[in-house]
Amino acid sequence: MASADAVKKVCEIYDWDGKGQLDMFYLGDVVYALGHNVTKKICMGLGQQEEQGKKFCNFDEVVKLVDQALSTPENTGNYHDYVELCKLYDKNENGTMMLAELENILSNLADEIPKEDTMALLAELADPEDEDGFFPYTPFLDRLTGKA
């Protein structure tokens, strides 16, 4: 959960007019700025708006909404989702994928991770690749998610 002070601090950044209210168009941005990823569907269900200026909430209400968003089950990917993603790149259907493809996914999709950080992550969590560039992705996912 995010602290109330942290939520209010982020809300102040989005309070363009200094009225102590957040334009609900920015609810997802506030959650993201706090370091959490939730789906747009969850934020829309909590009152996020498609257009600016349609609905406003005071900061205390936003704190409650952020807590609700973060307590929603399955607000981010889970282990099964990661396995299914890797299966998309499992060309041999044997539980392996190319290490270069995982590096590309991590470095370039969603929040870009600097290449050096990606390489350090892979060096720490991924098994060595074979002569064809493939590695088993299940042990990597187990280490990444803390199952190992």
Side-chain angles (χ1 to χ4, degrees):
M1 293 293 144
S3 76
D5 290 336
V7 174
K8 289 177 183 179
K9 186 174 183 178
V10 173
C11 286
E12 288 174 1
I13 295 169
Y14 286 94
D15 184 14
W16 314 123
D17 301 321
K19 295 179 181 177
Q21 294 185 324
L22 177 75
D23 186 334
M24 290 302 289
F25 176 79
Y26 297 107
L27 178 62
D29 295 327
V30 169
V31 174
Y32 185 76
L34 292 164
H36 302 282
N37 287 322
V38 297
T39 62
K40 183 176 180 180
K41 180 179 177 183
I42 291 170
C43 290
M44 295 300 287
L46 294 173
Q48 180 172 323
Q49 300 296 302
E50 289 285 348
E51 297 178 31
Q52 292 179 358
K54 296 286 183 183
K55 181 180 176 184
F56 294 86
C57 288
N58 67 45
F59 295 168
D60 291 325
E61 291 175 87
V62 175
V63 169
K64 292 175 188 171
L65 293 172
V66 168
D67 284 342
Q68 280 182 273
L70 297 180
S71 66
T72 303
E74 303 301 323
N75 64 20
T76 61
N78 59 33
Y79 182 81
H80 178 72
D81 295 333
Y82 301 138
V83 170
E84 291 302 312
L85 173 69
C86 289
K87 283 182 180 178
L88 293 172
Y89 295 91
D90 187 353
K91 295 178 176 137
N92 299 325
E93 297 180 359
N94 64 354
T96 64
M97 68 182 286
M98 294 191 74
L99 191 61
E101 288 179 329
L102 180 60
E103 177 189 335
N104 183 45
I105 292 168
L106 293 173
S107 294
N108 298 315
L109 298 179
D111 292 334
E112 291 186 22
I113 301 173
K115 190 167 181 87
E116 311 81 57
D117 293 346
T118 301
M119 297 310 292
L121 175 78
L122 293 175
E124 184 176 333
L125 300 177
D127 291 341
E129 58 188 329
D130 64 17
E131 63 276 353
D132 297 323
F134 289 88
F135 80 104
Y137 54 80
T138 304
F140 167 77
L141 294 175
D142 289 345
R143 292 180 197 118
L144 182 68
T145 60
K147 286 191 169 203

